[in-house]
Structure formats: structure tokens, C-alpha cells
Amino acid sequence: MDVSAEAGRIGALADPTRQALYEYVAVQPDAVGREAAASALDLPPHVARFQLDRLVDAGLLEVEFRRLSGRTGPGAGRPSKLYRRAPGTVAVSLPERRYDLVGHLLAGAIERTADGTALPTALDAVAQEAGRMLGESAPLADGDELDRTAAALATQGYEPRRTDDGLILANCPFDSLAREHTGLVCGMNHAYVEGVVDGLGCDHVCARLDPAEGRCCVTVTREA
């Protein structure tokens, strides 16, 4: 998660006029022009135009050009600049949580249970595959195998910290779910980190289930 970028997008709504314009555009069934938005909120057109474009710059709205009359050809007039809510989700979580990843893994595991596979077994398999894909696609990082593992896990919010012989993962990206469904989620988490290590091709480090208060239940240790 790029905290600065996400916080900047949310911060764009701190201005009451921009927030009102965003909320107005978001509830419309179709893209709207600045004149309609200005009229609905009793704003001068130039203010509406400026603030709408600020929301576009922040990635909260997107623009399209279309003739509202539906006519084409000579004399149809210039296309209007229209605004609609941008797709995607804007969220800032500190420390970072990855409940979207849990949902993705659970959905994949549930699909696999159709053949009679137990859910915990299916979830561990799906998690390990997803972790392996992350490891295989990770940019080549400098340093030894622990440094490479730390770099990959950092992108998922684990906040890895080097110790003399391994990594402590200071943050659990699945915190509240791990507290409520410890066995299932911690098993999934362990399998995911194992997959990352495997995907990175790190043969001399190992992911271990090592729960402790105030950090992730998984640690990564150097193998002899």
C-alpha cells in the first residue's frame, strides 16, 4: 500500500466543497457535467470545474467526453466534459491490513472443497500457491535470502525486522481475523509465507509457525 498516495486521495475530500461534489457525482446514475453539478450544489460554474478537476487529479473521479444531445455530425456541438466516480477502492489502514487477500484465498479454498477436500487443507494449499506466485514475481532484491524474503513480505504489510538469525514479522496483516479464527487464519498465514519463500527460491531459510503477542504468528529463520 502506498500510504502517501492513498492518504492524499482521501485528503482531497477534506475540503467541504470537494466532498459535496464527490458525493453528488457518486450517486448519479450516469456521468454528469460541471454545469449540472454546479446547479445542484448552488456553486459558481468555475468553482465546480476547478474542484471537479482536483478530484480527477486525486484519482477519485474520472472523465469522459460525450455529446449530451446524442446528435452527431456537423452542428452537433462540442462534446461535454463529464465526470463519474472512479472505480476501485480507496483505503488507508495503519498498520496495514490485507483482509482483501484473506477473502481471495478463502474464495479459492471454498471452490476446492467441492471435491471433498477439507477447508483448512484447501486454504493452506491456495495460500501456498498465492505466496509462491508473489515470490516468483518479486523484483530481484539486494542482499542475502533473508533480505530478499523481507523485501517481498514488506510489500504485503508484514513489517519484517532482521534479527541475528532470521526475521520477525512485526505486523499481522490479518489481525482481527487471526484473533477470532486463530487456527484457520494462522495456518493460512504460515502456508502463505512458506509459499513466498519457495517462490523466491530461498533454500536456506524457513517459515515457522511461532506465535507471540504483539506480532505475526510466523517467523522466518535461517536454516543450517
Side-chain angles (χ1 to χ4, degrees):
M1 177 180 64
D2 186 335
V3 174
S4 296
E6 293 294 281
R9 295 172 73 186
I10 293 175
L13 298 176
D15 180 271
T17 300
R18 283 198 293 273
Q19 181 178 355
L21 283 164
Y22 175 79
E23 291 173 350
Y24 171 76
V25 172
V27 300
Q28 303 310 307
D30 197 3
V32 296
R34 61 176 180 258
E35 292 81 7
S39 176
L41 299 177
D42 196 24
L43 295 172
H46 72 279
V47 172
R49 178 177 66 250
F50 175 77
Q51 299 292 17
L52 286 166
D53 286 339
R54 288 288 299 274
L55 291 168
V56 172
D57 292 341
L60 296 170
L61 298 181
E62 60 183 16
V63 169
E64 64 180 69
F65 293 88
R66 178 166 28 101
R67 291 185 176 93
L68 296 178
S69 66
R71 294 184 297 163
T72 60
R78 297 176 59 187
S80 297
K81 186 176 184 179
L82 306 175
Y83 301 83
R84 67 168 68 248
R85 180 166 60 182
T89 301
V90 182
V92 174
S93 174
L94 299 173
E96 186 172 354
R97 304 298 184 219
R98 290 299 314 277
Y99 300 123
D100 58 329
L101 177 58
V102 176
H104 173 73
L105 297 177
L106 279 171
I110 290 169
E111 289 178 347
R112 294 198 183 189
T113 61
D115 64 4
T117 304
L119 179 60
T121 301
L123 183 57
D124 287 356
V126 170
Q128 191 158 36
E129 290 170 11
R132 189 179 299 113
M133 289 176 62
L134 174 70
E136 290 173 347
S137 63
L140 184 62
D142 295 331
D144 61 13
E145 290 188 346
L146 285 173
D147 289 332
R148 292 171 55 208
T149 302
L153 293 176
T155 67
Q156 303 304 300
Y158 281 96
E159 298 181 5
R161 299 175 184 171
R162 282 290 300 255
T163 64
D164 290 340
D165 60 351
L167 299 174
I168 288 176
L169 308 181
N171 180 52
C172 173
F174 320 115
D175 181 66
S176 65
L177 287 175
R179 293 176 188 274
E180 296 178 15
H181 309 283
T182 304
L184 187 71
V185 175
C186 287
M188 176 209 73
N189 190 19
H190 181 214
Y192 183 74
V193 177
E194 278 187 324
V196 173
V197 171
D198 186 41
L200 288 167
C202 295
D203 299 325
H204 301 97
V205 298
C206 178
R208 299 185 182 278
L209 195 56
D210 180 24
E213 189 66 28
R215 62 168 172 80
C216 177
C217 62
V218 178
T219 57
V220 179
T221 57
R222 194 190 309 274
E223 294 283 87

